[in-house]
Amino acid sequence: MKTSLLSILVPVYNEEKCLTLFYERVLGAVDKIHCEVEFLFINDGSIDNTLFLIKQLQLLDNRVCYLDLSRNYGKEIAVTAGINYIKGDTLVIIDVDLQDPPELIPQMLKEIQNGYDDVYACRLKRSGESWLKKWTAKQYYKYMKILSNIPVLENTGDYRMFSKKAIDALRELQESERNMKGLFSFIGFNKKAIYYNRDQRIAGQTKWDYFKLTNLAIKGFTSFSIIPLRIVSFFGVLISIIAFIYSVIVIIKACVWGDPVAGYPSMMCVILFIGGINLLALGVIGEYLGIIYNETKKRPTYFVKEYVSLLKLVNTN
Ligand code: UDP
Ligand code: MG
């Protein structure tokens, strides 16, 4: 199979420090491959000079295209938008901060040409990340594996390359609550891992704080599994059985020995425990209700301010 156009999809949000360095290093990496290349930068509502720098690059190189979103939507949506706009029949998604070495691109492309549809880069080492981030990531993967009904790939980010088949499948996923890692697993197809060591960011700062990461994790759990709802139902049944047995004991005791008023501490414990479980159950149901609410509004996932592509396609067949 021959690839005619490779689209390099790069979501960017306030990345003026990384942009030029990234472009130069990717150029070095894709020099060796024998196919056309398109850079598609998704400007995710940057408020620094990022867009200006992209425009400058475009003046020098007409393979540089950009999609300017109407505001900051977050990386997941930026990637979704990019997938809808790329022109290539092969796609690689890569962060602009050079944590993921672009030098892997030729190797990934070789695997696509060998017939794989989703070649993903799997991290051996995560440099520059705190132990807390590594630990929480590990826990997330652990529970995601237990709870979700899709195969979960550990230590795999969004740095991956897709064939035409996989790109078409990704375009068909219409949900507005998006967890891309989950969706990449969901589509299936022939997957192949490539192992690498993740570097530190070359410049700038990560855009993820623990609040955003927790949100992403909850989205991951709730979009790919209804098992949290089952766990809550299971607790409900279990507590009802215990409550029934205990009530029988209380009634028998009252009939046989009378009913002296006692047991304030045990009563409080039971009320608080049941109250807690009730709130938890409501919270879990609320999460799913929230997703249904968002999906039923059927709002467009993003709005585009501008899409500029100067790329002239000679032959894409
Ligand atoms: N990013 C984005 N929108 C956002 C946050 C991040 O497009 O709201 C981009 C960012 O510019 C970078 C990539 O997503 O190219 C990964 O972001 P970051 O390095 O902050 O994430 P981390 O590597 O820490 O997971
Ligand atoms: Mg990063």
Side-chain angles (χ1 to χ4, degrees):
M1 200 189 83
K2 202 170 152 13
T3 309
S4 43
L5 179 67
L6 168 68
S7 294
I8 302 175
L9 196 170
V10 199
V12 285
Y13 176 47
N14 294 342
E15 301 281 9
E16 59 184 8
K17 288 191 187 131
C18 299
L19 202 85
T20 318
L21 290 168
F22 167 84
Y23 169 75
E24 278 162 7
R25 203 161 134 200
V26 174
L27 269 195
V30 297
D31 235 13
K32 303 167 196 101
I33 60 175
H34 303 289
C35 71
E36 292 284 315
V37 168
E38 165 197 51
F39 288 86
L40 179 60
F41 289 99
I42 316 299
N43 181 39
D44 187 19
S46 302
I47 47 171
D48 64 357
N49 270 330
T50 302
L51 185 61
F52 173 75
L53 290 174
I54 297 172
K55 287 179 180 171
Q56 295 297 105
L57 287 180
Q58 195 176 41
L59 291 178
L60 299 171
D61 182 351
N62 64 1
R63 294 172 302 174
V64 173
C65 318
Y66 67 85
L67 182 70
D68 189 19
L69 298 181
S70 62
R71 65 169 170 88
N72 175 246
Y73 288 91
K75 184 182 170 186
E76 310 293 300
I77 305 283
V79 169
T80 304
I83 293 173
N84 292 333
Y85 276 79
I86 51 145
K87 291 190 179 142
D89 44 16
T90 307
L91 157 72
V92 61
I93 302 173
I94 183 167
D95 291 352
V96 75
D97 58 8
L98 290 174
Q99 279 191 285
D100 304 318
E103 290 72 24
L104 291 182
I105 290 178
Q107 198 187 338
M108 291 169 128
L109 192 64
K110 208 171 274 167
E111 297 297 353
I112 293 283
Q113 286 163 347
N114 285 341
Y116 286 101
D117 298 296
D118 175 2
V119 182
Y120 59 93
C122 196
R123 303 162 190 163
L124 290 170
K125 208 175 77 198
R126 301 164 73 120
S127 306
E129 290 182 1
S130 67
W131 68 266
L132 187 63
K133 183 156 181 195
K134 285 182 200 159
W135 184 81
T136 41
K138 203 167 171 190
Q139 297 307 309
Y140 170 71
Y141 285 124
K142 186 172 139 193
Y143 287 104
M144 198 59 192
K145 270 188 190 160
I146 300 171
L147 289 178
S148 79
N149 42 16
I150 49 164
V152 178
L153 303 169
E154 208 163 324
N155 288 324
T156 304
D158 295 335
Y159 184 26
R160 47 213 295 168
M161 192 178 278
F162 296 101
S163 70
K164 180 86 180 104
K165 259 190 250 167
I167 298 170
D168 290 342
L170 289 171
R171 283 182 176 149
E172 281 189 37
L173 301 169
Q174 295 294 330
E175 64 219 74
S176 56
E177 293 283 309
R178 302 184 79 87
N179 176 300
M180 294 313 287
K181 260 188 267 303
L183 294 178
F184 296 152
S185 290
F186 176 78
I187 59 165
F189 294 109
N190 296 335
K191 297 193 187 295
K192 168 89 183 168
I194 282 185
Y195 294 91
Y196 76 114
N197 287 324
R198 192 163 209 233
D199 297 329
Q200 299 199 10
R201 235 178 192 279
I202 40 157
Q205 270 185 350
T206 173
K207 309 292 178 308
W208 293 96
D209 52 31
Y210 276 98
F211 180 71
K212 283 190 187 162
L213 281 173
T214 311
N215 271 339
L216 188 71
I218 292 177
K219 245 184 220 176
F221 286 134
T222 49
S223 15
F224 292 98
S225 162
I226 54 161
I227 292 178
L229 286 174
R230 296 253 163 82
I231 293 174
V232 166
S233 318
F234 169 77
F235 262 109
V237 172
L238 188 73
I239 290 172
S240 307
I241 293 172
I242 296 171
F244 178 75
I245 296 170
Y246 188 64
S247 322
V248 171
I249 294 170
V250 169
I251 292 168
I252 293 175
K253 265 168 97 180
C255 291
V256 177
W257 291 288
D259 185 19
V261 178
Y264 175 75
S266 57
M267 187 77 82
M268 278 312 282
C269 292
V270 170
I271 290 174
L272 291 177
F273 179 66
I274 305 284
I277 296 280
N278 258 328
L279 284 181
L280 178 77
L282 274 179
V284 174
I285 296 167
E287 283 295 330
Y288 286 92
L289 192 67
I291 296 177
I292 298 171
Y293 172 65
N294 282 336
E295 294 293 343
T296 50
K297 282 189 286 193
K298 293 216 180 303
R299 283 188 185 152
T301 324
Y302 56 85
F303 287 104
V304 173
K305 242 193 239 172
E306 192 179 28
Y307 168 64
V308 182
S309 168
L310 306 176
L311 192 71
K312 293 203 176 51
L313 295 179
V314 185
N315 177 15
T316 50
N317 295 322

